[in-house]
Amino acid sequence: MKQINAVESNVRSYCRSYPIMFEKAQGAFLLDKTGKKYLDFLCGAGSLNYGHNNPVLKKEILDYLNKDGIVHSLDLATTSKEEFLTSFVNRILAPRHLNYKVQFTGPTGTNAVEAALKIARKITNRTKIISFTNGFHGVTLGSLAATGNSHHRGGAGISLNDVTFMPYDEYMGKKTNTIDYIRRVLEDNSSGVDLPAAVILETVQGEGGINIASSKWLQSLQELCHEFGILLIVDDIQVGCGRTGTFFSFENAGIEPDMIIMSKSLSGFGLPFSILLLKPEYDQWKPGEHNGTFRGNNLAFVTAKTAIDHFWTTQEFEAEIILKSHILRDRLIKISRETLSPEIEVRGKGLVYGIDCILSDLATAIRQKCFENGMILETCGSDDQVVKLLPPLTISENELQLGLDILEKSIRQVMQESDFQKQLEEEIIQK
Ligand SMILES: *Cc1c(COP(=O)(O)O)cnc(C)c1O
């Protein structure tokens, strides 16, 4: 750690929460230098849905390199790109009756978000974008303008313009339908809210606290967008690729976004890889208008294709996720009731879940204790008050139960060793 602590920029963050040196990883586990195993419920913030070094994907990469397959190609035509597209169209889009063009952007999620915002503005000739409270879309300037978190926004150094923030589903409590408010301001010529080019949202807010948009809310939002000629962009970077139980997070809501952004687990192997899906009529780019050197991460094409072929040709994988989701949900509710309070909210879908601890110090203490007990997980939410669980989708039932055992034991220890119980009760009474 000597060089990392001395030389790596202050901007480093995760390594501060888990200050040990990791060396290897396999499946649901990270290993430190001494071989000590840590169960990984952080999963590269959703980039490792199929676990670390998934053997099926690893084999394909090794074979591909051994035969001198192309690694870098700008956006030249390569066989690995052609094969990825074939699998993506035949196994993901066609069975879902979806028709999109695929844009390979720069390899980060935020670059694909930038592309979506750019093309939406170009298509509509409007500048404003509607984003939502607690939304997270990346930290380059266009994406950052659509990100709610003040800590990240504070790093911009210039004003972040042309985004109007609207209340997400249940932002005003369960009784207020926030779509009514958005409709009202769009209908009113004097509301001060300009007609936007697009609405961008996550169906489950991963960084913002595991807030979930209901199917009904998503459908009303789509209806509103159609009525006003606003493009609907779903940022599926974190909760796509099966995280919520279906390949796309919005499938059960039955909506059909104008654009979909995918990254994180798309390569399946933790390799950088992002795409923007556009309805064909919105593919109004001129050649090279949004470009980038690393748009052809061929190793990612290979693993992404393999992941699709391996996990997404039958319904089996989805059924497995749902089964594990029930286990996770039932046990989290039980744990939070017994160790924290019945008032504590457990939110989630598929295999992305959060325990809203109300107190950010409590969430941090739980994360820390889990780490001491051999498990890595993250906190999220406006005050980092939510303990977030993001196990690999491929995790075995035993490993999932092991993670929940560690979580339960850690919360019990935290509650015994501190006076959070009293603070929590006070907070709950105030609510
Ligand atoms: C991680 C994330 C991004 C940004 O992706 P980067 O690869 O970090 O640029 C954007 N949107 C969502 C929902 C994310 O989770």
Side-chain angles (χ1 to χ4, degrees), residues 97-112:
H97 309 289
L98 297 172
N99 181 19
Y100 290 96
K101 295 285 280 292
V102 180
Q103 177 182 358
F104 297 106
T105 65
T108 57
T110 195
N111 192 262

Side-chain angles (χ1 to χ4, degrees), residues 65-331:
L65 286 174
N66 273 329
K67 65 173 191 199
D68 277 334
I70 293 169
V71 173
H72 184 270
S73 59
L74 294 171
D75 72 351
L76 293 170
T78 60
T79 48
S80 57
K81 185 198 278 188
E82 178 76 7
E83 286 169 15
F84 163 73
L85 285 173
T86 304
S87 280
F88 192 75
V89 170
N90 292 341
R91 301 199 197 276
I92 301 294
L93 295 182
R96 292 167 180 78
H97 309 289
L98 297 172
N99 181 19
Y100 290 96
K101 295 285 280 292
V102 180
Q103 177 182 358
F104 297 106
T105 65
T108 57
T110 195
N111 192 262
V113 173
E114 296 286 351
L117 301 180
K118 267 194 199 176
I119 194 72
R121 286 172 166 135
K122 183 178 152 102
I123 292 162
T124 57
N125 256 320
R126 299 176 208 143
T127 55
K128 298 285 193 247
I129 302 288
I130 283 183
S131 180
F132 290 94
T133 49
N134 285 306
F136 181 84
H137 300 290
V139 297
T140 52
L141 290 175
S143 315
L144 186 55
T147 290
N149 185 288
S150 58
H151 173 63
H152 291 123
R153 292 177 70 83
I158 59 167
S159 52
L160 297 168
N161 290 324
D162 293 323
V163 176
T164 312
F165 282 85
M166 289 290 165
Y168 193 70
D169 194 14
E170 292 195 6
Y171 186 71
M172 310 295 294
K174 290 192 197 300
K175 286 188 194 130
T176 309
N177 181 358
T178 60
I179 299 290
D180 291 343
Y181 171 75
I182 305 171
R183 171 177 294 281
R184 178 81 180 97
V185 295
L186 289 178
E187 278 172 351
D188 182 355
N189 285 327
S190 282
S191 68
V193 175
D194 297 328
L195 189 64
V199 164
I200 183 166
L201 81 156
E202 303 153 89
T203 64
V204 176
Q205 294 183 319
E207 298 302 300
I210 318 298
N211 310 309
I212 300 165
S214 71
S215 290
K216 195 160 166 267
W217 189 85
L218 291 170
Q219 290 154 7
S220 315
L221 181 65
Q222 172 169 275
E223 209 177 292
L224 190 69
C225 285
H226 287 172
E227 221 177 295
F228 285 85
I230 301 165
L231 299 175
L232 180 63
I233 306 170
V234 168
D235 176 347
D236 235 4
I237 292 177
Q238 185 157 156
V239 297
C241 299
R243 182 50 66 183
T244 63
T246 49
F247 186 83
F248 295 109
S249 69
F250 52 82
E251 285 177 40
N252 291 333
I255 59 166
E256 211 173 288
D258 297 302
M259 292 181 221
I260 305 162
I261 307 161
M262 311 213 67
S263 180
K264 292 211 164 92
S265 273
L266 182 63
S267 80
F269 203 70
L271 295 168
F273 183 36
S274 300
I275 56 175
L276 170 63
L277 303 177
L278 308 123
K279 286 209 173 148
E281 62 269 34
Y282 299 131
D283 183 23
Q284 296 179 16
W285 293 110
K286 293 196 178 71
E289 204 175 4
H290 183 88
N291 71 3
T293 306
F294 292 104
R295 282 168 300 149
N297 186 344
N298 286 263
L299 290 183
F301 293 150
V302 170
T303 51
K305 175 209 182 296
T306 309
I308 290 169
D309 294 351
H310 186 73
F311 291 104
W312 297 99
T313 36
T314 66
Q315 313 276 292
E316 213 173 301
F317 189 52
E318 281 171 277
E320 242 179 70
I321 301 169
I322 297 304
L323 194 81
K324 286 181 266 193
S325 175
H326 289 313
I327 296 172
L328 180 62
R329 180 185 190 87
D330 291 350
R331 221 174 135 202

Side-chain angles (χ1 to χ4, degrees), residues 280-392:
E281 62 269 34
Y282 299 131
D283 183 23
Q284 296 179 16
W285 293 110
K286 293 196 178 71
E289 204 175 4
H290 183 88
N291 71 3
T293 306
F294 292 104
R295 282 168 300 149
N297 186 344
N298 286 263
L299 290 183
F301 293 150
V302 170
T303 51
K305 175 209 182 296
T306 309
I308 290 169
D309 294 351
H310 186 73
F311 291 104
W312 297 99
T313 36
T314 66
Q315 313 276 292
E316 213 173 301
F317 189 52
E318 281 171 277
E320 242 179 70
I321 301 169
I322 297 304
L323 194 81
K324 286 181 266 193
S325 175
H326 289 313
I327 296 172
L328 180 62
R329 180 185 190 87
D330 291 350
R331 221 174 135 202
L332 281 181
I333 291 172
K334 190 162 176 284
I335 291 173
S336 76
R337 271 199 195 133
E338 288 176 2
T339 61
L340 295 166
S341 156
E343 306 294 321
I344 290 288
E345 209 173 41
V346 170
R347 298 188 291 263
K349 211 174 170 180
L351 286 174
V352 48
Y353 266 85
I355 305 175
D356 193 331
C357 299
I358 306 173
L359 305 165
S360 89
D361 287 350
L362 174 56
T364 306
I366 293 171
R367 182 191 69 199
Q368 185 56 29
K369 193 58 85 180
C370 283
F371 175 58
E372 286 167 25
N373 289 325
M375 178 163 73
I376 284 175
L377 45 70
E378 189 178 11
T379 55
C380 63
S382 49
D383 296 313
D384 279 327
Q385 80 283 21
V386 179
V387 171
K388 175 172 165 185
L389 296 110
L390 222 55

